[in-house]
Amino acid sequence: VDTSGSMGQAELDAALAEIKGVLRAAGLGTGRLLVLACDAQVGAASRVHRIDDVRLVGGGGTDMRVGIAAAETSQPRPDVVVVLTDGLTPWPERPGRARLVVALIGGAAAAQSVPAWATTVLVGAAG
């Protein structure tokens, strides 16, 4: 989850709603979902059982490459990395091992900067 300064409360609320949906839809209430809060560095990493386990810390600059790299090296290694962001970030130059899904929160304007090899999903901001 992008927790940089450009992510307002409405965007963070939308990110939490998406995480809650993933937990419910995928039946991942066993702590298999790793949530990383990242601005220009990973500020918190939590294996979550429920939405109340998520810790969103940050507020600085933005570099989702750091969070993507941390997710890629986590154990067990993920098949999919989902980045919940407003898209105002640099992106990796090439795909990693895991499939990258970019959930753009609050608008499609940043979609053109997302790498073509990533899957882009548009998510409305809460509020």
Side-chain angles (χ1 to χ4, degrees), residues 5 24 39 44 48 54 62 67 77 84 87 94 96 122:
R24 184 176 39 248
D39 51 18
V48 301
V54 176
T62 313
R77 294 186 70 175
L84 296 153
R94 60 183 119 325
L122 300 179

Side-chain angles (χ1 to χ4, degrees), residues 2-122:
D2 180 348
T3 57
S4 67
S6 64
M7 292 283 287
Q9 192 59 53
E11 289 80 13
L12 294 174
D13 289 346
L16 287 170
E18 292 300 313
I19 294 167
K20 188 174 185 179
V22 168
L23 285 168
R24 184 176 39 248
L28 294 176
T30 59
R32 289 184 22 219
L33 182 65
L34 175 65
V35 176
L36 304 171
C38 182
D39 51 18
Q41 62 186 2
V42 175
S46 310
R47 293 255 175 221
V48 301
H49 300 273
R50 54 197 174 93
I51 199 65
D52 293 339
D53 297 334
V54 176
R55 290 187 32 229
L56 297 181
V57 298
T62 313
D63 192 343
M64 292 298 100
R65 297 174 298 187
V66 175
I68 293 166
E72 286 260 348
T73 60
S74 67
Q75 294 296 324
R77 294 186 70 175
D79 293 321
V80 178
V81 172
V82 177
V83 179
L84 296 153
T85 181
D86 59 8
L88 305 175
T89 181
W91 295 102
E93 293 182 18
R94 60 183 119 325
R97 190 189 79 72
R99 178 176 164 211
L100 180 64
V101 176
V102 177
L104 287 176
I105 299 172
Q112 62 193 2
S113 69
V114 176
W117 45 263
T119 301
T120 303
V121 178
L122 300 179

